[in-house]
Amino acid sequence: MKNLANPCPNCHGQMTDKGPIENFYDDYSAYLDKNITQRLDNADPNYCVHLFQCDICGKDKRMSIDREMF
């Protein structure tokens, strides 16, 4: 898995990739089959929406990431 450098738009700190957004829908979504959860993020099938969170201020944002990068 690649590390994506992503500055926080709020405080310019480093944002950390917390993983696919579908892992945060509910307590069990991280355990569901990817064929189900990939349809929930409304992203292009070639992309995966990840949640990034700032290590300093806690701001989060979603980013579409090319599935082939990983």
Side-chain angles (χ1 to χ4, degrees):
M1 189 172 216
K2 292 183 180 181
N3 184 10
L4 300 172
N6 192 15
C8 175
N10 192 44
C11 73
H12 305 292
Q14 181 63 37
M15 296 192 89
T16 301
D17 185 352
K18 298 296 185 177
I21 193 70
E22 62 260 14
N23 290 353
F24 299 93
Y25 289 144
D26 63 31
D27 293 341
Y28 301 102
S29 62
Y31 304 105
L32 291 174
D33 185 82
K34 291 293 182 193
N35 290 326
I36 296 169
T37 58
Q38 286 176 355
R39 290 183 272 158
L40 297 174
D41 62 15
N42 293 321
D44 180 296
N46 297 317
Y47 290 87
C48 180
V49 178
H50 277 226
L51 180 69
F52 284 78
Q53 185 175 39
C54 180
D55 298 333
I56 296 171
C57 71
K59 180 170 179 61
D60 63 45
K61 75 176 189 176
R62 290 148 185 84
M63 284 184 52
S64 293
I65 299 172
D66 188 337
R67 290 186 192 278
E68 292 188 20
M69 287 180 59
F70 300 95

